[in-house]
Amino acid sequence: MRIGELSERTGTSRRLLRYYEEQGLIVAARSPNGYRDYEEYNVDRVAQIRGLLDSGLPTRIIKQILPCLDKPRVIHFSDATPEMLATLQRELDRMSRRIDCMTRNRDAIAEYLDAVRERRSDAEAAPAS
């Protein structure tokens, strides 16, 4: 698929897709006329990249862990320096804290909605005076 279709299917701008390619996060073949040609798997790959970026990971770390998202997994240990492992541990800890916070917020919103809906239901069921 060409870059425009990938952009449309992923909701990601063409500019960002070219940036992901420059960073080595996605790969495109080139047709004889020079157009980028993306394989179907890039739709999911871009979604994974967007999710990792949204969670706060920089592209240099995303590039390292993208192989872990594939099946079969191909993990390259040669790049796993102590600094890289420490960075990944910090990011994992930060993500876990964020997930905990989001879970609490989700639960609070759900509780609020339940209470409002119950009150509305009670009010609608009550006879008019």
Side-chain angles (χ1 to χ4, degrees):
M1 85 187 75
R2 299 221 342 239
I3 194 168
E5 182 180 350
L6 183 60
S7 173
E8 186 175 307
R9 290 182 60 190
T10 61
T12 305
S13 73
R14 294 174 190 204
R15 183 175 182 205
L16 271 177
L17 293 173
R18 286 189 289 272
Y19 174 74
Y20 296 163
E21 188 177 343
E22 288 171 11
Q23 297 300 307
L25 303 177
I26 60 175
V27 177
R30 292 290 185 151
S31 61
N33 60 7
Y35 290 153
R36 290 172 171 84
D37 185 27
Y38 294 95
E39 296 289 331
E40 181 68 27
Y41 76 88
N42 280 296
V43 174
D44 288 333
R45 175 54 51 101
V46 170
Q48 291 171 326
I49 293 166
R50 300 292 304 153
L52 292 167
L53 286 168
D54 288 347
S55 72
L57 286 177
T59 56
R60 67 180 171 75
I61 293 177
I62 293 172
K63 185 176 180 180
Q64 296 284 329
I65 64 172
L66 276 176
C68 298
L69 302 175
D70 291 336
K71 295 201 186 243
R73 287 179 166 81
V74 179
I75 300 173
H76 303 283
F77 294 104
S78 61
D79 296 336
T81 64
E83 295 81 17
M84 172 70 158
L85 295 175
T87 298
L88 287 173
Q89 185 61 56
R90 281 191 305 276
E91 290 299 324
L92 179 62
D93 294 344
R94 187 185 61 75
M95 285 176 167
S96 294
R97 287 190 304 272
R98 196 164 171 207
I99 288 168
D100 291 343
C101 179
M102 291 179 78
T103 300
R104 285 190 311 273
N105 291 340
R106 182 203 59 207
D107 293 348
I109 289 170
E111 187 176 331
Y112 175 81
L113 281 171
D114 289 345
V116 168
R117 288 177 178 143
E118 183 177 329
R119 185 173 190 156
R120 244 190 212 162
S121 178
D122 290 347
E124 291 171 359
S129 302

PDB file of all heavy atoms in Angstrom, residues 45-57:
ATOM      1  N   ARG A  45       1.852  -2.255  13.031  1.00  0.00           N
ATOM      2  CA  ARG A  45       3.121  -1.740  13.533  1.00  0.00           C
ATOM      3  C   ARG A  45       2.994  -0.267  13.889  1.00  0.00           C
ATOM      4  O   ARG A  45       3.461   0.170  14.936  1.00  0.00           O
ATOM      5  CB  ARG A  45       4.219  -1.975  12.486  1.00  0.00           C
ATOM      6  CG  ARG A  45       5.593  -1.401  12.787  1.00  0.00           C
ATOM      7  CD  ARG A  45       6.203  -1.810  14.115  1.00  0.00           C
ATOM      8  NE  ARG A  45       6.222  -3.207  14.392  1.00  0.00           N
ATOM      9  CZ  ARG A  45       7.254  -4.017  14.264  1.00  0.00           C
ATOM     10  NH1 ARG A  45       8.395  -3.554  13.842  1.00  0.00           N
ATOM     11  NH2 ARG A  45       7.156  -5.282  14.571  1.00  0.00           N
ATOM     12  N   VAL A  46       2.355   0.514  13.041  1.00  0.00           N
ATOM     13  CA  VAL A  46       2.179   1.946  13.310  1.00  0.00           C
ATOM     14  C   VAL A  46       1.315   2.138  14.562  1.00  0.00           C
ATOM     15  O   VAL A  46       1.614   2.993  15.403  1.00  0.00           O
ATOM     16  CB  VAL A  46       1.591   2.686  12.091  1.00  0.00           C
ATOM     17  CG1 VAL A  46       1.174   4.111  12.444  1.00  0.00           C
ATOM     18  CG2 VAL A  46       2.613   2.704  10.950  1.00  0.00           C
ATOM     19  N   ALA A  47       0.287   1.316  14.719  1.00  0.00           N
ATOM     20  CA  ALA A  47      -0.546   1.410  15.924  1.00  0.00           C
ATOM     21  C   ALA A  47       0.289   1.113  17.167  1.00  0.00           C
ATOM     22  O   ALA A  47       0.149   1.787  18.196  1.00  0.00           O
ATOM     23  CB  ALA A  47      -1.727   0.445  15.828  1.00  0.00           C
ATOM     24  N   GLN A  48       1.170   0.120  17.079  1.00  0.00           N
ATOM     25  CA  GLN A  48       2.044  -0.199  18.206  1.00  0.00           C
ATOM     26  C   GLN A  48       2.990   0.966  18.505  1.00  0.00           C
ATOM     27  O   GLN A  48       3.171   1.338  19.664  1.00  0.00           O
ATOM     28  CB  GLN A  48       2.857  -1.462  17.908  1.00  0.00           C
ATOM     29  CG  GLN A  48       2.031  -2.718  17.864  1.00  0.00           C
ATOM     30  CD  GLN A  48       2.826  -3.904  17.353  1.00  0.00           C
ATOM     31  OE1 GLN A  48       3.699  -3.779  16.506  1.00  0.00           O
ATOM     32  NE2 GLN A  48       2.503  -5.081  17.869  1.00  0.00           N
ATOM     33  N   ILE A  49       3.558   1.529  17.471  1.00  0.00           N
ATOM     34  CA  ILE A  49       4.474   2.664  17.641  1.00  0.00           C
ATOM     35  C   ILE A  49       3.742   3.837  18.286  1.00  0.00           C
ATOM     36  O   ILE A  49       4.242   4.445  19.235  1.00  0.00           O
ATOM     37  CB  ILE A  49       5.090   3.080  16.284  1.00  0.00           C
ATOM     38  CG1 ILE A  49       6.027   1.974  15.768  1.00  0.00           C
ATOM     39  CG2 ILE A  49       5.819   4.417  16.391  1.00  0.00           C
ATOM     40  CD1 ILE A  49       6.412   2.121  14.305  1.00  0.00           C
ATOM     41  N   ARG A  50       2.534   4.139  17.795  1.00  0.00           N
ATOM     42  CA  ARG A  50       1.757   5.255  18.351  1.00  0.00           C
ATOM     43  C   ARG A  50       1.463   5.013  19.830  1.00  0.00           C
ATOM     44  O   ARG A  50       1.566   5.916  20.647  1.00  0.00           O
ATOM     45  CB  ARG A  50       0.442   5.443  17.583  1.00  0.00           C
ATOM     46  CG  ARG A  50       0.586   5.753  16.112  1.00  0.00           C
ATOM     47  CD  ARG A  50       1.176   7.075  15.788  1.00  0.00           C
ATOM     48  NE  ARG A  50       0.424   8.131  16.417  1.00  0.00           N
ATOM     49  CZ  ARG A  50       0.935   9.309  16.766  1.00  0.00           C
ATOM     50  NH1 ARG A  50       2.187   9.579  16.526  1.00  0.00           N
ATOM     51  NH2 ARG A  50       0.201  10.220  17.345  1.00  0.00           N
ATOM     52  N   GLY A  51       1.107   3.781  20.168  1.00  0.00           N
ATOM     53  CA  GLY A  51       0.825   3.454  21.553  1.00  0.00           C
ATOM     54  C   GLY A  51       2.043   3.613  22.439  1.00  0.00           C
ATOM     55  O   GLY A  51       1.965   4.135  23.556  1.00  0.00           O
ATOM     56  N   LEU A  52       3.194   3.174  21.951  1.00  0.00           N
ATOM     57  CA  LEU A  52       4.430   3.300  22.725  1.00  0.00           C
ATOM     58  C   LEU A  52       4.836   4.762  22.872  1.00  0.00           C
ATOM     59  O   LEU A  52       5.281   5.188  23.941  1.00  0.00           O
ATOM     60  CB  LEU A  52       5.546   2.475  22.087  1.00  0.00           C
ATOM     61  CG  LEU A  52       5.350   0.958  22.167  1.00  0.00           C
ATOM     62  CD1 LEU A  52       6.326   0.244  21.234  1.00  0.00           C
ATOM     63  CD2 LEU A  52       5.497   0.466  23.598  1.00  0.00           C
ATOM     64  N   LEU A  53       4.669   5.535  21.800  1.00  0.00           N
ATOM     65  CA  LEU A  53       4.965   6.967  21.883  1.00  0.00           C
ATOM     66  C   LEU A  53       4.017   7.657  22.856  1.00  0.00           C
ATOM     67  O   LEU A  53       4.438   8.491  23.664  1.00  0.00           O
ATOM     68  CB  LEU A  53       4.867   7.629  20.502  1.00  0.00           C
ATOM     69  CG  LEU A  53       6.008   7.337  19.538  1.00  0.00           C
ATOM     70  CD1 LEU A  53       5.649   7.787  18.129  1.00  0.00           C
ATOM     71  CD2 LEU A  53       7.291   8.007  20.011  1.00  0.00           C
ATOM     72  N   ASP A  54       2.738   7.298  22.806  1.00  0.00           N
ATOM     73  CA  ASP A  54       1.752   7.876  23.718  1.00  0.00           C
ATOM     74  C   ASP A  54       2.061   7.543  25.172  1.00  0.00           C
ATOM     75  O   ASP A  54       1.712   8.301  26.074  1.00  0.00           O
ATOM     76  CB  ASP A  54       0.337   7.403  23.376  1.00  0.00           C
ATOM     77  CG  ASP A  54      -0.192   8.024  22.094  1.00  0.00           C
ATOM     78  OD1 ASP A  54       0.409   8.998  21.599  1.00  0.00           O
ATOM     79  OD2 ASP A  54      -1.216   7.521  21.579  1.00  0.00           O
ATOM     80  N   SER A  55       2.706   6.396  25.389  1.00  0.00           N
ATOM     81  CA  SER A  55       3.054   6.025  26.761  1.00  0.00           C
ATOM     82  C   SER A  55       4.316   6.732  27.235  1.00  0.00           C
ATOM     83  O   SER A  55       4.700   6.605  28.389  1.00  0.00           O
ATOM     84  CB  SER A  55       3.226   4.510  26.887  1.00  0.00           C
ATOM     85  OG  SER A  55       4.417   4.099  26.256  1.00  0.00           O
ATOM     86  N   GLY A  56       4.956   7.479  26.341  1.00  0.00           N
ATOM     87  CA  GLY A  56       6.102   8.281  26.737  1.00  0.00           C
ATOM     88  C   GLY A  56       7.456   7.738  26.333  1.00  0.00           C
ATOM     89  O   GLY A  56       8.481   8.332  26.660  1.00  0.00           O
ATOM     90  N   LEU A  57       7.492   6.621  25.623  1.00  0.00           N
ATOM     91  CA  LEU A  57       8.789   6.075  25.214  1.00  0.00           C
ATOM     92  C   LEU A  57       9.347   6.851  24.032  1.00  0.00           C
ATOM     93  O   LEU A  57       8.622   7.173  23.092  1.00  0.00           O
ATOM     94  CB  LEU A  57       8.643   4.607  24.806  1.00  0.00           C
ATOM     95  CG  LEU A  57       8.458   3.598  25.916  1.00  0.00           C
ATOM     96  CD1 LEU A  57       8.245   2.210  25.335  1.00  0.00           C
ATOM     97  CD2 LEU A  57       9.630   3.591  26.861  1.00  0.00           C
TER      98      LEU A  57
END
